[in-house]
């Protein structure tokens, strides 16, 4: 019945309500992928809905819940981070408790993203693919310069520089050794993410037009 409402009367007064109830039902039954899809549909098609804010906050929760770990695709993790960062920017009426909770959740998500990148470093280390190791070390340092893994990544790059001082780690080897692992494709550039939780208990997110970290 709910599906029929928002499919066949998409501009009607109950369409956004039907979507919200459907998404929340799938949240309760732990069908996180379907719940995330419906929350996204609500955000995209009904930006004037009174459920818009909840679609952001709950949508980030279920999107993160569908993340399977550092050994799997990180798209759901990236989407959840973007939703929580956007919620802090566009909802100035969030309570201090809600902002602190979002900040704490963001820190855990940043840590999960760092772990996912570091797993790639270790994977290519085990394969002996130095170029790919260097690529992911640079990604980790550029995106998360404050993380503990960033220092380890710098040490790895220093060791590589000492072993091959004239080697450009981002340039593809012209004569790769036989049976060597293929170099990893560089990921798209992203803005560096600072860990809000490194001092989150001492610093609150400003309530007036909070800006994303540089």
């Amino acid at each position: 019945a709910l599906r029929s409402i928002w499919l066949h009367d998409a501009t009607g007064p109950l369409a956004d309500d039907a979507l919200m109830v459907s998404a929340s039902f799938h949240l309760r039954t732990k069908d996180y992928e379907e719940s995330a899809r419906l929350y996204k549909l609500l955000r995209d098609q009904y930006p004037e809905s009174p459920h818009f804010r909840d679609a952001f906050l709950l949508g980030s929760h279920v999107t993160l819940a569908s993340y399977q770990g550092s050994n799997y695709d990180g798209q759901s993790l990236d989407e959840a981070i973007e939703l929580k960062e956007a919620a802090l920017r566009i909802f100035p009426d969030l309570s201090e408790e809600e902002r602190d909770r979002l900040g704490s959740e963001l820190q855990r998500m940043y840590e999960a993203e760092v772990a996912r990148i570091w797993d790639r470093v270790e994977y290519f280390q085990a394969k002996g693919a130095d170029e790919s190791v260097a690529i992911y070390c640079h990604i980790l340092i550029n995106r998360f310069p404050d993380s503990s893994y960033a220092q380890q990544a710098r040490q790895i790059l220093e060791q590589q520089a000492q072993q091959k001082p004239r080697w450009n780690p981002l340039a593809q080897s012209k004569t790769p050794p036989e049976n060597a692992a293929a170099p990893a494709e560089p990921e798209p550039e992203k803005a560096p993410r600072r860990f809000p939780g490194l001092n989150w208990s001492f610093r609150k997110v400003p309530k007036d037009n909070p800006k994303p970290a540089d």
Side-chain angles (χ1 to χ4, degrees):
L2 292 170
R3 180 180 177 85
S4 177
I5 291 173
W6 59 263
L7 275 181
H8 301 294
D9 191 17
T11 60
L14 297 179
D16 59 327
D17 296 324
L19 267 176
M20 188 66 186
V21 174
S22 297
S24 299
F25 166 78
H26 289 293
L27 169 60
R28 289 196 300 272
T29 59
K30 299 184 179 181
D31 185 354
Y32 298 125
E33 291 186 2
E34 180 64 11
S35 181
R37 186 184 73 84
L38 294 177
Y39 282 130
K40 184 178 187 303
L41 193 63
L42 180 55
R43 293 192 304 271
D44 292 344
Q45 295 191 5
Y46 302 96
E48 302 300 324
S49 169
H51 305 301
F52 183 70
R53 191 178 84 162
D54 289 337
F56 256 94
L57 299 180
L58 294 174
S60 66
H61 171 72
V62 297
T63 302
L64 179 61
S66 65
Y67 175 58
Q68 296 179 301
S70 59
N71 292 325
Y72 296 87
D73 180 69
Q75 181 178 355
S76 59
L77 178 63
D78 289 339
E79 291 177 356
I81 289 175
E82 290 171 2
L83 284 173
K84 289 188 184 295
E85 289 176 337
L88 286 171
R89 290 196 305 270
I90 66 180
F91 298 120
D93 59 335
L94 291 174
S95 68
E96 184 174 348
E97 180 181 355
E98 288 174 321
R99 291 186 175 278
D100 285 344
R101 185 177 68 251
L102 282 175
S104 298
E105 291 171 351
L106 267 175
Q107 176 176 342
R108 292 195 296 272
M109 293 157 71
Y110 289 159
E111 290 170 349
E113 187 172 4
V114 169
R116 186 173 67 86
I117 298 172
W118 185 253
D119 277 354
R120 304 306 295 168
V121 173
E122 293 184 327
Y123 170 80
F124 285 113
Q125 279 183 318
K127 293 285 187 180
D130 290 343
E131 295 181 26
S132 298
V133 169
I135 287 173
Y136 278 98
C137 282
H138 280 291
I139 290 173
L140 199 155
I141 293 169
N142 292 335
R143 198 177 302 174
F144 296 98
D146 298 331
S147 70
S148 60
Y149 286 116
Q151 182 57 35
Q152 297 182 55
R154 294 184 184 99
Q155 293 173 358
I156 291 174
L157 293 176
E158 289 175 2
Q159 292 172 1
Q160 288 187 347
Q162 291 173 2
Q163 295 170 359
K164 299 180 181 180
R166 296 183 180 276
W167 176 54
N168 179 1
L170 297 182
Q172 184 174 359
S173 173
K174 294 182 180 179
T175 57
E178 188 177 356
N179 298 326
E185 290 292 333
E187 292 190 0
E189 284 295 324
K190 295 184 180 180
R193 284 174 173 158
R194 304 286 177 172
F195 277 75
L198 290 177
N199 57 349
W200 194 264
S201 59
F202 307 100
R203 177 176 64 82
K204 308 298 183 183
V205 175
K207 293 184 178 180
D208 296 326
N209 298 323
K211 298 180 179 179
D214 293 333

